[in-house]
Amino acid sequence: MNEYSEALELVSNKIMELRAVTPSKQFDKDRLAEVEINKFYYEGRAVDRIMIVLRASGCEHYGKTGGCSMCSHFNGTVQGGKITDQNYINQWNSVIDGSCLEVPISNFSLDNYPVVCLYNLGSLLNPKEVSVNAIKHIFTDLNKFKGIEKVIIESRAEYVDKNILNVIKQCYSGLVEVGIGVESTNDTIRE
C-alpha cells in the first residue's frame, strides 16, 4: 500500500468512526429538507430564485464510505430508511401547493421564480438515490410553469448520462443546468 492509500484509508476510517457516534436525527420523509427564496443573478439581472432541497436518504457515496469529510448533507438525511417515490412526490407536491413554505406567500406559484434550484442532499441523477419515476413526476410538473427560465440541479459526474438526460428532456422543455462539484485541496485535481 502506498502513502496515499494509507492516508485515504486512515481518513475514511476516521469518518466512519465519527459517523457511528453521531446521533441520528429523525425527519419526516414527506417534508423537504429546505426551501429558500432569494435573489440570484441570471443573464445580467437580479431575479428571484427558489432553492428546493429534497429530503433524501443520503448519497450513495455516504452509504458506502461515510461520505465526504467536508459535506454537511449527512446531517439532513434520513438515516436507516429509504425515501420512496411517494415520499419524493409528497415533498414535491408541497412545493407546488406552497405548503412547504414556513411563511405563506399569497398566490404562490413557481411561475414567479425564473430560476429554480432543485437539490436532494446527494446526486439528483443517481437512480439509487432518486428514482426515474420521481424525476419524471417532478420535471413533468416543472414543465407546466412557463415563468421558469432555468432549472439548476446537482449531481456527481458519474451519474450524468444520456439515459437520464433524455428522461428529463422528454418531460421538460426548458433549460436545465447540471452542477458538478469537485472538492479537493489540490488545484491540479480540482481543475
Side-chain angles (χ1 to χ4, degrees):
M1 201 182 273
N2 64 34
E3 187 177 313
Y4 173 78
S5 296
E6 289 175 13
L8 183 61
E9 184 176 346
L10 181 67
V11 170
S12 294
N13 289 340
K14 188 61 175 177
I15 290 170
M16 293 298 277
E17 179 185 317
L18 292 170
R19 298 286 195 230
V21 298
T22 302
S24 293
K25 296 179 182 178
Q26 299 302 313
F27 296 105
D28 182 344
K29 295 177 183 181
D30 291 326
R31 294 190 49 87
L32 296 171
E34 182 181 359
V35 176
E36 184 179 301
I37 297 170
N38 56 27
K39 292 293 182 191
F40 187 84
Y41 287 92
Y42 177 62
E43 294 191 347
R45 68 191 202 280
V47 300
D48 289 326
R49 79 139 180 196
I50 185 166
M51 182 183 68
I52 301 155
V53 182
L54 300 168
R55 180 77 61 201
S57 34
C59 75
E60 185 176 12
H61 180 62
Y62 161 75
K64 290 179 179 177
T65 67
C68 301
S69 62
M70 81 302 189
C71 182
S72 65
H73 287 338
F74 165 81
N75 296 326
T77 59
V78 173
Q79 298 157 31
K82 178 84 172 124
I83 302 292
T84 66
D85 287 358
Q86 192 59 53
N87 295 135
Y88 280 123
I89 290 168
N90 292 344
Q91 290 178 46
W92 181 251
N93 288 342
S94 76
V95 172
I96 299 301
D97 68 17
S99 64
C100 64
L101 301 171
E102 288 182 24
V103 177
I105 297 174
S106 64
N107 300 321
F108 174 81
S109 172
L110 286 179
D111 271 325
N112 298 326
Y113 303 95
V115 176
V116 173
C117 296
L118 178 62
Y119 309 131
N120 79 310
L121 300 176
S123 293
L124 192 75
L125 301 181
N126 181 348
K128 292 179 183 174
E129 295 178 38
V130 181
S131 76
V132 172
N133 289 332
I135 294 291
K136 284 180 182 179
H137 178 86
I138 291 168
F139 278 92
T140 297
D141 271 357
L142 281 167
N143 204 48
K144 298 173 187 173
F145 298 96
K146 301 308 177 196
I148 298 172
E149 297 176 35
K150 177 164 81 168
V151 175
I152 301 171
I153 61 175
E154 289 183 341
S155 181
R156 285 176 58 119
E158 64 263 34
Y159 305 120
V160 181
D161 69 34
K162 288 180 183 180
N163 294 331
I164 191 63
L165 295 178
N166 282 332
V167 166
I168 291 171
K169 193 174 182 179
Q170 290 169 3
C171 298
Y172 184 68
S173 60
L175 177 65
V176 177
E177 177 182 300
V178 181
I180 301 170
V182 178
E183 301 291 341
S184 177
T185 57
N186 182 305
D187 290 337
T188 303
I189 290 172
R190 188 173 50 252
E191 293 300 321

